[in-house]
Amino acid sequence: MNLEIITFILFVHVYFSQGDRISLDGQLLNHATIVSRLKLLQGNITFTNEYINKCIYLVNIGTNDYVNNYLMPQSYLTSRIYNPDQYAAILIQQYSQQLTTLYNLGARKVVVFGLGPIGCTPAQIARVGTNGRPCVESINNITMLFNNRLRPLVDDLNNNLRDARFTFVNVSGIAANRLVMPNVPCCQIQSNGLCVPNSIPCPNRTSTAWYDGFHPSEISNSRLAARAYIARSPLDVSPNDISNLARL
Ligand SMILES: *[C@@H]1O[C@H](CO)[C@@H](O)[C@H](O)[C@H]1NC(C)=O
Ligand SMILES: *[C@@H]1O[C@H](CO)[C@@H](O)[C@H](O)[C@H]1NC(C)=O
Ligand SMILES: *[C@@H]1O[C@H](CO)[C@@H](O)[C@H](O)[C@H]1NC(C)=O
Ligand SMILES: *[C@@H]1O[C@H](CO)[C@@H](O)[C@H](O)[C@H]1NC(C)=O
């Protein structure tokens, strides 16, 4: 088994206090530079192409298009311009082009992560309230529209691009299947949803679903990783879990 993983894009933090970030288009341009440099260094384009074709790319993006844009009507106009379904459609349309660009740069095995249960994050629960339910249902309904379009996008890419092996990870589905853990953070959070600086986090890191107001705890992440790698149900990851992808 030749498992080479390029962790391509992880959560892009757009919180103002957290500094600058590189857009997905910018990351694709950077990746094109890396691929050219690799071709130059390896001195054999066939070899480099075969090499890149074997890599497993992980693409996990979209959370902040909701958390730090659509769900912030005081700062962004998107929720006034687009209804939730139109917004999901626009994001997916751009994403389709960006994933095709990644394919054109040589990527074949690409793991695409859906959005997690944003309505279950302590920050959204504190902001909106849940009406006695475990999560903010209206927010999960909005982000589900994106997930429900992302999965068919993955199928389309596989059908239309030769040798493409895109695969979809159902992050929300996996999260809903975990053992029930409270939707509370492990640390004491301040008004921006991040941990109070220098505060002492909870002693037991496996007891909460969330680390701070936005980010999953270690236990949530490791359960997601385990089921993305070896799916327990065909709904977790499709069409190939990561362990299958590594063998192809
Ligand atoms: C270039 O790489 C391919 C694929 O690994 C190999 O078959 C071929 O012999 C290489 N060409 C040269 C000139 O080394
Ligand atoms: C969320 O979607 C479910 C299923 O479509 C629906 O029954 C429910 O009323 C929706 N909830 C809200 C708050 O929009
Ligand atoms: C994700 O999994 C859940 C069940 O665990 C399922 O209801 C849902 O349809 C799946 N979503 C997608 C987009 O495949
Ligand atoms: C931490 O929490 C988990 C889940 O609530 C529990 O199973 C475990 O025993 C706890 N560990 C310690 C050291 O308290």
Side-chain angles (χ1 to χ4, degrees), residues 96-108:
S96 169
Q97 287 165 10
Q98 289 157 331
L99 290 172
T100 304
T101 301
L102 191 58
Y103 170 91
N104 288 335
L105 290 170
R108 292 295 174 271

Side-chain angles (χ1 to χ4, degrees), residues 147-148 151 168 170 173 177 235:
N147 290 334
N148 288 344
R151 207 190 126 142
F168 169 79
N170 186 345
N177 279 311
L235 285 173

Side-chain angles (χ1 to χ4, degrees), residues 136-142:
V136 186
E137 209 178 68
S138 57
I139 294 181
N140 285 342
N141 281 2
I142 288 173

Side-chain angles (χ1 to χ4, degrees), residues 18-195:
Q18 293 174 340
D20 208 353
R21 80 284 184 203
I22 301 169
S23 70
L24 183 50
D25 287 333
Q27 293 183 57
L28 287 164
L29 281 173
N30 288 343
H31 189 57
T33 306
I34 293 296
V35 171
S36 323
R37 211 180 287 170
L38 212 53
K39 285 178 178 160
L40 208 65
L41 282 170
Q42 292 178 331
N44 178 339
I45 288 177
T46 313
F47 180 86
T48 303
N49 284 336
E50 286 174 2
Y51 177 83
I52 290 175
N53 290 172
K54 278 186 288 188
C55 293
I56 295 179
Y57 288 68
L58 304 188
V59 186
N60 189 341
I61 198 163
T63 303
N64 281 310
D65 290 302
Y66 286 91
V67 172
N68 280 306
N69 190 307
Y70 198 75
L71 300 174
M72 286 182 95
Q74 306 83 348
S75 311
Y76 296 97
L77 288 172
T78 43
S79 62
R80 268 165 272 170
I81 301 174
Y82 306 112
N83 70 30
D85 197 50
Q86 289 168 333
Y87 189 62
I90 284 172
L91 291 179
I92 291 292
Q93 192 194 346
Q94 290 178 9
Y95 206 5
S96 169
Q97 287 165 10
Q98 289 157 331
L99 290 172
T100 304
T101 301
L102 191 58
Y103 170 91
N104 288 335
L105 290 170
R108 292 295 174 271
K109 301 177 176 186
V110 184
V111 184
V112 179
F113 287 75
L115 299 177
I118 292 172
C120 303
T121 58
Q124 297 301 338
I125 289 174
R127 187 176 72 86
V128 184
T130 64
N131 254 326
R133 295 178 164 267
C135 302
V136 186
E137 209 178 68
S138 57
I139 294 181
N140 285 342
N141 281 2
I142 288 173
T143 53
M144 206 55 70
L145 296 169
F146 177 90
N147 290 334
N148 288 344
R149 285 176 182 269
L150 185 54
R151 207 190 126 142
L153 169 62
V154 160
D155 293 334
D156 284 351
L157 293 169
N158 287 335
N159 291 333
N160 298 331
L161 304 173
R162 200 165 66 88
D163 295 334
R165 305 272 193 188
F166 286 81
T167 202
F168 169 79
V169 182
N170 186 345
V171 178
S172 290
I174 292 174
N177 279 311
R178 73 188 164 207
L179 295 170
V180 179
M181 281 189 290
N183 285 317
V184 294
C186 165
C187 72
Q188 199 191 332
I189 57 176
Q190 49 189 10
S191 60
N192 68 2
L194 303 178
C195 298

Side-chain angles (χ1 to χ4, degrees), residues 196-226:
V196 171
N198 302 319
S199 58
I200 298 172
C202 60
N204 186 345
R205 310 295 169 83
T206 60
S207 60
T208 64
W210 304 97
Y211 187 72
D212 59 14
F214 297 107
H215 302 100
S217 62
E218 177 176 333
I219 186 88
S220 298
N221 275 323
S222 58
R223 284 180 185 156
L224 171 65

